[in-house]
Amino acid sequence: MAARPRITFLADRPRWAQARTARAISRYLADDFECRVVFANEEPDLRAWPSDLLHIGSWDSTWHRSFGFERERIVKSVTNHRWAEASLAPDRFVAEWLDDAGTLTCCSERLRRSLAPYCDIHLTPMGFDPFVFPGPSRARGPLRFGWAGVRSDASKGLDEILRPALGDSAELSIAGGGLTLAEMGDFFRSVDVIAVASQHDGAPLTLIEAMASGCYPICTDVGIVPELIADGQNGLVVPGEVEAFREAFEWCRANVETVRQVGRQNAETMRRRRTWEHVADKWREAFWTALDRSSRQDWVPRPAVSKPATARRSDEVRPEPANHARRVALLSPHYDTGRLDDQIVELATRRLLGERHFECGPSDRAPNDSELERLRDCELAVVCGGDLTHQVWDGALAPRALQRLGLPIVTLGVRCSDGASVGAELEEFAGRCRGIGTLDEASRRELAAVGIDRAATVGSPVLFFESDEEHRSGDGVPVIVLHGNRLSGVLDEVCAALDPILLVSDVEDFRTATRLVRRHGSQTIVRGDHLSRHLAAAGRVLSLRAPHGLLALALGSHVVFAGDDPEVGAVRSLLRMEPCEESALVDAIVDPRSDDGRIAEAVAGVELAMGRLLQECGLTSRVPVAATC
């Protein structure tokens, strides 16, 4: 037994880019390291929490020097080119500012190329959280331009370049420093174009988050810009001059539909390539390299693999199974539908399976030739959610599609609505399947009825979701998760009694919400953005959609599942929840019945089943290791 190595992240100040980066990496590397984030502007005692490594987010920070850390235990990041502003050549910069660190990291390929001739430096890219920055929302109205950063920093070009360039022709929306992660997400989704006029940034985190939110970028050629933007294709790269930005702004106003279409494509590209999940391995490798160099040997040495074994919530470092799949094909209904319900399940599955490379593909249809070319490079295919009956009839799990794919299959949280109708196809599917995890017991029985008796009821990956938000479940305004016009009559009574927040996911939801607001006057309509924030803050949720309700439950809120959606019924059965009469919905939300013990017992059971299934399939995950023993 040995404890995980400890890392202290020294960021500049709360809520700024370094803090967001440190918190994200801390979460994604929690299987390997115990992490803590402190802030230089608060002058923390760096000895108060003994750590094996000290990560310094600013190359020019000096606060750590008075604490006597050994050089080998310091990891220092270079995230900008400000040293060049001081007329420092790269070799002098390395000698004068980076020599106190045993391990160096940088955030862009451009920085790495500049400094690599003079030092050993790791590329540790920036990423984004798809739950906080889930994609575009604006689709109509005048084009909106935005900028995010520290207003007082002249090198960002706000007052010198962007405001003069835009003039009085349009408003420039501004997000200054100090906003919460959720507020940044709201901001980016409220604008169409993000402008970056910085002269020295290495990897503007705001650019990454804005593109992930569906923004069209207009940028100077700085830092990671060439890695993300092809000029004239998915954005514009211009000189840091007023006239250049003015022309770019005018082009955007003349091509509104193109700007918004490219923004949507940017969001999809970023989701597939640049989440924290995609870049976490680079950070992990840098930290293990630093530990190898350090004189301290209190931790278990790094395994002889590129990624250390996972040991979440346990002191034991468990070896990875020999068939551990590093590249996983993730087959999901969301690939084609774009529905928020399916997106919740897909993103929760990514988190459940931990940090690895995912190739996405469809589950409700057979992959086409170009999709197959990508997916075949993987070692395993995981199907997350959806109706197994449809998937084996004419989807990705149909016999012909399985033959072309040629990968072992694992299903997580699927329903089987009518096994008898596709009995023969199910048999062929089962023969190729490494593991079958169903959402509920009824689906498992459907499979057993056609001779497939090795399925396990594992619930939904959403049950095991862990939030990034700083504030967990509260007792705020109740939330109703709408589902079209379901329970429309009963919802009038609920809205009149509780004045809830109405959470909408699609156009039909919005129509229902608009009617309720017109009738009752004071409800707030919220799109399905930042779900974890809204569902946790509420504390009490009435959900007509299964994934949303499961997410609220995972975040600690009291949830009442209602409506006639089959998946909602499956979840109620899974969690052993008694049906709630429509006439009793208000009382059920206001005065929750004490069924937490029964629900907790049900969740513990599926957690154990999920852990066993994943371990048997060679998929280390974020399910507690103790649950797989």
Side-chain angles (χ1 to χ4, degrees), residues 395-409:
L397 304 184
R400 174 60 178 160
L402 286 175
Q403 291 172 7
R404 296 188 69 203
L405 181 61
L407 297 177
I409 305 290

Side-chain angles (χ1 to χ4, degrees), residues 51 94 408:
S51 54
V94 170

Side-chain angles (χ1 to χ4, degrees), residues 6-10 34-38 46 49-56:
R6 286 179 156 200
I7 301 176
T8 293
F9 286 84
L10 179 62
E34 186 178 355
C35 302
R36 175 174 175 253
V37 182
V38 297
L46 298 179
W49 191 72
S51 54
D52 301 298
L53 293 177
L54 173 65
H55 177 272
I56 301 172

Side-chain angles (χ1 to χ4, degrees), residues 4 98 131 195 210 282 300 310 378 403 414 505 545 555 560:
R4 289 169 295 166
L98 307 183
F131 266 95
K282 297 285 190 181
V300 175
T310 298
C378 299
Q403 291 172 7
V414 296
S505 302
R545 294 178 181 267
L555 295 169
V560 176

Side-chain angles (χ1 to χ4, degrees), residues 99-339:
D99 192 52
D100 60 343
T103 301
L104 302 174
T105 68
C106 65
C107 58
S108 73
E109 183 61 32
R110 174 177 282 165
L111 275 168
R112 192 197 66 78
R113 288 196 304 266
S114 297
L115 301 177
Y118 312 102
C119 61
D120 182 14
I121 190 164
H122 295 260
L123 177 62
T124 50
M126 302 292 193
F128 75 96
D129 186 333
F131 266 95
V132 180
F133 304 97
S137 62
R138 280 184 60 80
R140 58 179 61 88
L143 211 60
R144 292 191 62 186
F145 299 86
W147 175 90
V150 181
R151 299 171 190 246
S152 59
D153 188 344
S155 72
K156 303 292 186 180
L158 174 61
D159 294 321
E160 295 78 5
I161 299 174
L162 298 181
R163 278 177 164 153
L166 202 54
D168 298 328
S169 61
E171 179 185 356
L172 181 64
S173 299
I174 296 174
L179 297 184
T180 66
L181 197 62
E183 288 168 342
M184 290 300 297
D186 286 334
F187 171 76
F188 288 132
R189 287 171 63 80
S190 73
V191 300
D192 300 288
V193 177
I194 189 70
V196 177
S198 172
Q199 303 300 310
H200 304 295
D201 277 344
L205 189 57
T206 55
L207 174 61
I208 295 172
E209 294 168 346
M211 291 181 67
S213 301
C215 291
Y216 184 93
I218 303 176
C219 304
T220 51
D221 186 6
V222 65
I224 59 168
V225 166
E227 299 173 38
L228 300 181
I229 302 172
D231 183 32
Q233 297 180 32
N234 67 330
L236 297 175
V237 182
V238 300
E241 302 167 356
V242 172
E243 187 58 33
F245 272 91
R246 180 181 293 120
E247 292 177 0
F249 291 149
E250 290 174 355
W251 183 89
C252 289
R253 285 197 295 269
N255 296 274
V256 174
E257 291 307 315
T258 299
V259 166
R260 286 177 172 154
Q261 179 182 0
V262 171
R264 290 190 291 270
Q265 294 169 352
N266 282 342
E268 181 63 19
T269 300
M270 297 296 282
R271 187 180 72 84
R272 295 184 187 282
R273 298 180 182 177
R274 199 73 188 215
T275 67
W276 286 117
E277 191 171 65
H278 290 113
V279 303
D281 276 348
K282 297 285 190 181
W283 290 79
R284 176 184 288 106
E285 184 65 24
F287 288 137
W288 277 106
T289 298
L291 288 168
D292 288 345
R293 289 172 175 167
S294 172
S295 59
R296 292 175 60 87
Q297 296 297 326
D298 304 358
W299 55 85
V300 175
R302 174 166 52 163
V305 294
S306 61
K307 183 164 67 173
T310 298
R312 187 167 181 80
R313 300 181 188 171
S314 170
D315 287 338
E316 180 181 2
V317 177
R318 300 168 62 91
E320 291 181 310
N323 61 347
H324 175 68
R326 301 187 187 284
R327 291 176 63 89
V328 171
L330 198 63
L331 307 183
S332 166
H334 178 257
Y335 187 87
D336 285 326
T337 67
R339 291 192 303 259

